[in-house]
Amino acid sequence: MKLAGLKSVDGAHEDSIWAAAWVPAADHRPTALLLTGSIDETVRAWQPDDLAAASPPAGGHALGVISLAAHPAGVIAAAVSIDSHVRVFDVDSGASVATLDAAPSEVWGVQFHPKGVALAAAGGGSGSVKLWDTEKWQPIASLPVPRPEGARADKTGSGKFVLSVAWSPDGKLLACGSMDGTIAVYDAVRMKFLHHLEGHHMPVRSMVFSPVDPHVLLTGCDDSHIHIYDAKEKGLIGAMSGHASWVLSIDVSPDGMTVATGSSDRTVRLWDINARASVQTMSNHSDQVWAVVASRPPGGEGVRAGRLASASDDKSISLYDYS
Amino acid sequence: MSAPAARQGAEEEAERLLAAAKLNPNDGGPFRSLGHHYARAGDAQRAARCYQRAVALDPDDAEAGEALCDLLDAEGKESLELAVCKEAAGKSPRAFWAFRRLGYLQVHQKKWSDAIQSLQHSIRGYPTCADLWEALGLAYHRLGMFTAAVKSYGRAIELDSSRVFALIESGNIQLMLGYFRKGVEQFRSAVEMAPHNHSAYFGLASALLAWSKHCVTTGAFTWAANLLKEASETAKVCTSLAGNLSCVWKLHADTQLALARCFPWEDRHIKRGMDEQNFKASILQWRNTCLSAANSAKLSYQRALHLTPWEANIHIDTAICLDLICTMEENNSVDPIAWELPEKMSLGGLMLEPVNKDFWVTLGSVSSNQALKQHSLIRALQLDTSLSEAWAYLGKIYRQSGHKQLARQAFDRARSIDPSLALPWAGMSAENDHQSRAGSVNESYESCLRAVQILPLPEFQIGLGTIAARSGELLSPQVLMAVRQAVQRAPHYPESHNINGLVSEVRSDFQSAITSYQHAKFALGMMRRSKLDNRYPFVDVSVNLARSLCKAGLATDAVRECEELKTQGLLNVDGLQVYALALWKLGRHDEALSISRNLAENLSNMKQESATGALGFICTLAYNIAGKDSAASVIHTLPGQPSYNRELKFIISALDALQPSKRFQLPHLSTPPRLTSYDVMSEVHSNIALGKAIGGELNNCLGVGGGLSYLKKVLHMYPDCSLVRNHLGSLLLSSGDWTASHKAVRVTSLSHGHTSNRGLRSPHQIQACATMSCYATCTSYPKFSFPTCEDQYLSQYNGICNLQRLVHQEPWNQDARYLLVLAIFQKAREEKYPKHICATLKRLVLQIMSSSSNSQEHKLILYEKYLLLLLSSEVNLQSDDYENGIAQVTDALRVAPPSVDTFFAHLQLCRAYVVQGDLSNSRKEYMKCLQNRTNTEVGWVMLKQLESLCSVNRGSDEIEINLKGCIERNGRNPSKWASLFNLACAQCFMRDEDFASAEKALAQACAEKDADSCILFLNGAMHMEIARRYAAPQYITRAASSLRKAQQKSQAMVPIISLLLAQAEGSLGSKAKWEKNLRLEWFSWPPELRPAELYFQMHLLASQSTAAAAAGPQQKKQQQLVETMQSPGAWLLRAIHQNPSCSRYWTALLQLVCV
C-alpha cells in the first residue's frame, strides 16, 4: 500500500488544526465530507476530492476544538472544545443539535458507537468514560477506570486523565486510554469493566480498533511507540517503533492491514501491520500532526482504496490517496 | 490409756468391725474402717484388700479410694493404682476422686488427651481445686492448645494466688503467643511470690529479652535498651541463685549482647551548640557502654561454656559476641595466617556438630578470610541448598569481590527462598544502585526500604538515606525514621549525621541540619586519625553545612565556612555556588560575581547535569545582582547550546518573557516535545505564554491574546496540567472578553485531584472572580430576579459552596474569606439584597477587618480592605443605613493605599449623598470623581447615571470623552460600552422626562451590534410609553420590533417582554400574535410569582377565545391552549383575589356578571 499526496491546503484554518473526522456519505449527500476543528474555535467542512470548503465555518467552540467524531449515518457530528462542552451539530447546516455539558476538564476525545446509538467521551479528569445516548442526548453511563492491580496506592498525584476512547467495530467493546498509559477495556453491552491492557507508561492520546477484527486495538502513545493489543483476550500482540516523538493520532485502513499515524516529529507514517514495520513516511507538514484519519468508503470490508487526511499545527490539511 | 490397752482396744474394734462386715457384707463403711484399722496397724496388704472391698461396694467412696491409692502409690504399684481408678471411674460417674487420681496419673504418664478428659470430669466434682486446674492447664499446654491452657492456668491462679508454676507456665505461653507485656507481668508476680525461685527469674529475663527484640524490630531502641537493662539485672539475680546452670549464664550473655547491639546514642540532652569535645566525649561514652555490655556478654558466655563445654551453640554464640567486640574495637589483625578468636570459636562449635548448617553460615560471616568464608558458606549450602542466609552472605562476598553477576544471582536466590530476609534486599538495592538504568534508582530505593523495614540496621538505614537523597525521596517519613534511627545506632559514622542533616534540610529545619552537619564534621574528625583519605567527604559535609547556614540566614557563617575550605584549596563546584550565594546574601555583590565568573570558567570540566545546574545558578545570580541584561549575556555566552535541561529551560523562558525587546532565539523550545517529564515543561510553557502576553514592551498592558492562544496549544498537549489551566483561566479573566468569565470557569477545574495553587491565581480565585465578573444576573432561581445572562454557563455552578468548602479547609486563609465575601455579595446583588444575606455579609466583613488590623501591611491587603469597606458600605446603603454607609466609604478612603484608584469611593459617596438628598455634598463628590478619573469603563457609565441626580451642568461631555479614552486604552468591547453609555444617558433623560432625547439615546444604544436583550427591552418599553403619552402610533411598530428582538435574544424567558409585545402587536391589529405572546407571557413567569395583572390578561384572552369558540365549532383544537384551562370568570376571580384593590378588575367582573 502506498500513499500519494493529492492536495494540501495551507492556512485551512486561522490557527493550528487539532482534530479531523470523515463524515460518511448520507442519503441526501452522495459524497463523504472531511471535518476539521481548530484552535480558532471553528469547525470547517471540506469536499473529499479537492478540499474545497463545503460549508461556512461553524463557530461556538470556545477555546478551541479538541476532538471531532462523525455519526455513522453521516448527518451529525460531535465536537469537543476545551471549555468541556460537547456540541453535537448538523454537518451540512452547522446548526447545533445538542450541547452536552461536562464538568471542567472532564471531557476529551469522543467517538460514536459504530451503529450510532451512543456517543462515548473520554472523561478527562473524572477518570472515566462517559456515554450519552444519541436520541435524547441524555447521559447513559459513566464507566470509571479502576486502578490497575499492582499499582502503588501510596503514590498520590493527579488522578487518571482519560484522553482517548475507541469502540470495537461490532460495538461490543469499548477501550479508553489515559495520561499514565493505562488502557481500560469495557464490555460495552453490559457496561462492565473487563481488564487493563499494559505496556504504555505515557499518555495514550489516540486509539482505534481494527475495522475487520474486533480483537485488535491499535494505540499511539507519547512513548513514540505504536502497540497492537488483543483487547478481548488481554494481550500485547505487537509493537511498532519509528517515530521520533509522541504519537498523536492513529487510524487504520478499512481493510485493517495498514495503519497511519501522525506524530510530534511532524511526520505522517504508514505502517504495515503484518510486517510490523513502517512502510512510508510523509514529511510534508512543518509542525506536529494532530490528526490522521482514513475514510471508510461504502462497500464494506476488503476495500483497499480510500482517502487519508492529515491535519497539523502548521494550519494545513493534506489529503492522500492510498491504494 | 496405756499402749497395750490401746492395742487391746484396737483389736476389739477390729473384731467388732469384722462382725459388722459379716452382718452386712454389702455395706462398704465397715470395710473402710477396717482398712483404716489395718493401715494404722501397718498391715498394708489387708488394709488394701479392705479398701478394695469398700471401693468395689461403693465406688463413690472417696475416703477409701484415696486411702487405697495412697497405699498403692506408696508401694509403687502405679499400674494397679491406675486400674483401681479406672474401675471406679467406669462404675460411677460420681467417683470424682477416681477421676482426679486418674487425671494426675495420666498427666504423670504424659497421656495428655486422656488426662484432659479425666481432669475435666473431676473438676466438676472439685471445682475449686487449684491443683486440678493447674494440671489441666499443663495438659492443654503440652497439647499446644495455648488459649485453653492460659485460661486453666488463670483459673488456678485465681483460686490460689501463690501458684508459681501456673504463673511461670502461663507467662511462657504468653511469650510464645507474642504477648510480651502480659508475660512479663506474670513472671513479675511469680518473682514476687517466690523471690528465690530461679525459674521465675529466668522466665522474667527471657520475657524481657523477647520483648526488647520485638522493640528493636519496630525501631524503639531506647525502650529496648531499658528493657534489656532490667533483663540483664534479672538474669544476674538468677545467676546468683543458680550459678551452675549454663543456660542462665547464656541468657545473661544474650541480654548483654542484645544491649550492646541496640544501645542508642542519645543526643537529646546534648545542647545544639555542642563543641567537638562534648561530641567526642558523648560518642566515646556511648561506645564504652556498648563495649562493656559486649564484654560482659563475653564473660557470661565464657562461664556458660565452662559449665557445658559440649554445647556447640554456646561456642557459636561466643564467636558472634567476639566478632561484635572486634568490629567495635576496630583492631584489624594483620596476620592472615593466625586464627582469629571468633573463627576459632565457631570452628569449635563446628567440631562438635559438623553437620549444623547454621554454624557454617556463622563461620562464614565471622571469618575475615575470603576463601574460608566462601568455603564455609558453600558447605552450608551443600547441607541445605535452600538456606537463604547462606545465599545472601555468598552474594555479599561476591559483591565485595566484584563478581556482580554471581552476586546478583545469589541475592535473587536468597530473596526468592525467603523474602522476609533483609540482607538480600539490601544487596539487590546496592546492585541496582550501581546500574545506570533509568528505573533502577527507584527499584533500589524500594529494595532498600524493604530491607530497612525488615531489619532496622544502621548500615541499611544509611544506605536508604543515600539512595533517597539521590532519588529525591528525602521527604518520605520512612526515610526520616530510618535516618533518625541510624543516628542513634551509629553515631560514629559521619554518613549518618550527614544524611540526617540532609533530611532536616529538606524539611526546612535548617538549625537541626546545621547541628547534624557539625556532628558529621566532628565524626569525620574522629575518624581522621585512623584513615587519612577522607578529604572528599569532608568537603561534601562542609559544603552541606555552608549551604544550610546560608538557608538559615547565617550567611556570615556560611562565608566563613567556605573561606576555610578555600584556604585549604578544597572548594569544589558546589562549594563555589554556595560561596557566591552567601556573598550575595551579605551584599558583597562584586565578590559574588567574581566567584560566579570563576565558576563559569570551570563549567566545561563539569559533568553535563551539574554544569547546567551551575549555569542556571549563575544566571539567577547575575539576574539578581545586575539585572536581566547581564543574565541574558550569560545565556548568550553559553558553551553548549543544545544541552539545556529542563530547569535551565525554565530560567531561559522566564528571562525571555522579561526581555521583550531582545528575544532569544530559542529553537529548542519549539522543537517537538522530547520524552521528558511533564510538569517542568508545562511550567516552561506557561512562562513562554506570559512572555507572549507581555508582548513587545514591558510597560504596556498585558497583550492577553498572544498568551491565550499559546496557552490553549499547551493545554491541548498537557491536558491534565492544572498549572496551565490556572494560567489560562487567569489570562482569560484579564482578557476583558465579555464571556471570558464563563470560559474561565469552564477551563479551571476544582473537581478532581489536588488543585495547584501555583500560577497567577488559584483556581478558587478564578472561580470567585468569574462569579463576580459576570455583569448579568445569573441566578438560576427566578424568585428574586430573572436570569439575563445570555451565556448561562454558570447556571449549575455553585461558587459559594466551593468557597465555603475552601474556608472550611483552610480557616487561616484570609484570601478565601475575602473571596467568599465577594461571592456572597454577588449573590446578594442578584437577590436584591435580602436582609439575612446583608447581615451575613456585614458579619463576614467585620471578621476579616478585625483579624487583620495592624497598620503595617502589604499593599494588596490594604487594597482588599478598601474594596471590602466599599462593599460593606454598599450593603449598608441597600439596607437604608446611610450614615454607616458614608462612614465606611470615608474609612475606605483613609485605608486606601496611595496608588489606588479612589474613583469608586467617591462615586459611592456621591451615590450615598444622592440617596440622602444632600445635593451640595453629592455635587462635590461628583466633581471629585471627575478629577480623580479611572481607567475602568463601568465607572464612567455609572457616573453618567448619577449626573442628572446630582443636577450638575449637563452641557459638558467630559464623561463621554473620558470614557472614549478609557475604551481606547483598554481596547475591548467598544460597542458594548458605547451602548451601555447610551443607556445611562437615556436613563438620565428619562429621569428628566425628556423622552425624545431618551429615545434617541436608546436608539443609539440599540444600534450597536450585538446589543443586550435588556437594552432592547427597555427601548421597546420606552417606545410604548412614548406612544401612550403622545398618542404617536408610529412608535408602536418600532416598539414591536425592539421587543421581538429582545424576546429572541434572551435565552430564558424574561417576563413582561412578551406582555408588552402582545400589547404592541394587539395595537397593531394582529390578534393572533397578541394571543401567542400573551400565552408566552404566561409561561415566562414561575407559577408562584404570577401577578394579578397576568390573570386579568388571561381572562381577556380566555373571553376572546370562548367568543371565537362560540362563533365557530371548527376551532375545537384550541381546547388544549392554556387560557381554556379555566373559564374567563375564574381567571378574573383569581386576579381579584390576588389584588382586590384594582378597580379595573371589579368593573370587568361587573361587566361579566351583567352580560
Side-chain angles (χ1 to χ4, degrees), chain B residues 261 455-463 482 485-487 489-490 493 496:
Chain B
R261 276 194 177 143
L455 186 66
L457 268 191
E459 284 81 3
F460 295 169
Q461 286 163 338
I462 292 171
Q485 285 174 5
V487 171
R489 302 278 302 285
Y493 290 166
S496 59

Side-chain angles (χ1 to χ4, degrees), chain A residues 59-112:
Chain A
H61 307 274
L63 303 177
V65 181
I66 305 165
S67 168
L68 276 170
H71 191 273
V75 182
I76 55 172
V80 184
S81 51
I82 289 189
D83 67 349
S84 298
H85 285 296
V86 183
R87 195 175 76 98
V88 183
F89 58 98
D90 187 290
V91 174
D92 294 301
S93 69
S96 286
V97 174
T99 304
L100 312 177
D101 198 9
S105 85
E106 292 200 351
V107 63
W108 205 255
V110 280
Q111 208 55 250
F112 275 101

Side-chain angles (χ1 to χ4, degrees), chain A residues 70-73 111-118 166-173:
Chain A
H71 191 273
Q111 208 55 250
F112 275 101
H113 186 277
K115 301 267 180 315
V117 295
W167 291 93
S168 67
D170 55 3
K172 286 183 181 155
L173 290 182

Side-chain angles (χ1 to χ4, degrees), chain A residues 83 101-102 152 205 222 245, chain B residues 446 673 678 713 717 746 796:
Chain A
D83 67 349
D101 198 9
R152 283 181 55 180
R205 291 185 194 263
D222 277 9
S245 186
Chain B
E446 293 282 334
Y678 288 85
K713 286 183 192 171
M717 279 205 277
R746 303 286 319 177
Q796 339 102 324

Side-chain angles (χ1 to χ4, degrees), chain B residues 749-801:
Chain B
S749 153
L750 287 173
S751 52
H752 58 87
H754 84 251
T755 52
S756 158
N757 278 333
R758 298 174 304 161
L760 297 177
R761 292 193 183 90
S762 75
H764 283 286
Q765 253 173 328
I766 291 168
Q767 305 243 337
C769 295
T771 325
M772 276 300 283
S773 65
C774 181
Y775 74 105
T777 325
C778 294
T779 175
S780 53
Y781 187 44
K783 189 172 168 187
F784 307 104
S785 172
F786 292 94
T788 57
C789 183
E790 283 168 21
D791 299 294
Q792 292 272 321
Y793 285 132
L794 291 171
S795 51
Q796 339 102 324
Y797 159 71
N798 197 343
I800 295 184
C801 267

Side-chain angles (χ1 to χ4, degrees), chain B residues 968-1122:
Chain B
E968 243 167 60
R969 268 197 301 284
N970 294 341
R972 307 167 195 144
N973 306 310
S975 63
K976 284 268 184 197
W977 289 118
S979 90
L980 281 180
F981 180 73
N982 282 321
L983 175 68
C985 291
Q987 280 174 321
C988 287
F989 287 129
M990 271 196 283
R991 218 167 272 130
D992 302 341
E993 310 237 320
D994 180 357
F995 286 105
S997 315
E999 196 272 327
K1000 216 181 285 165
L1002 269 182
Q1004 265 181 7
C1006 292
E1008 303 286 351
K1009 73 167 186 183
D1010 202 25
D1012 198 275
S1013 64
C1014 294
I1015 298 176
L1016 288 167
F1017 176 28
L1018 185 65
N1019 192 23
M1022 181 82 202
H1023 284 148
M1024 292 290 285
E1025 180 70 11
I1026 294 173
R1028 189 181 68 82
R1029 287 204 181 202
Y1030 305 107
Q1034 72 272 24
Y1035 278 100
I1036 294 183
T1037 350
R1038 293 195 207 168
S1041 89
S1042 306
L1043 287 170
R1044 225 173 283 135
K1045 273 191 216 156
Q1047 198 182 38
Q1048 282 162 2
K1049 280 215 88 166
S1050 61
Q1051 286 200 341
M1053 287 194 284
V1054 179
I1056 307 189
I1057 294 185
S1058 304
L1059 185 66
L1060 281 180
L1061 188 56
Q1063 278 182 5
E1065 296 283 13
S1067 321
L1068 287 173
S1070 164
K1071 197 178 142 199
K1073 284 185 183 167
W1074 173 72
E1075 284 179 359
K1076 195 186 87 194
N1077 280 310
L1078 265 187
R1079 271 175 221 128
L1080 270 180
E1081 177 71 14
W1082 171 260
F1083 289 111
S1084 60
W1085 286 89
E1088 70 274 16
L1089 291 179
R1090 288 177 180 136
E1093 181 64 23
L1094 190 58
Y1095 287 102
F1096 182 67
Q1097 294 290 336
M1098 290 312 285
H1099 146 72
L1100 292 181
L1101 192 59
S1103 52
Q1104 283 290 325
S1105 59
T1106 42
Q1114 76 276 17
Q1115 302 206 341
K1116 271 265 165 42
K1117 62 177 181 195
Q1118 282 206 341
Q1119 286 301 316
Q1120 64 263 36
L1121 291 177
V1122 69

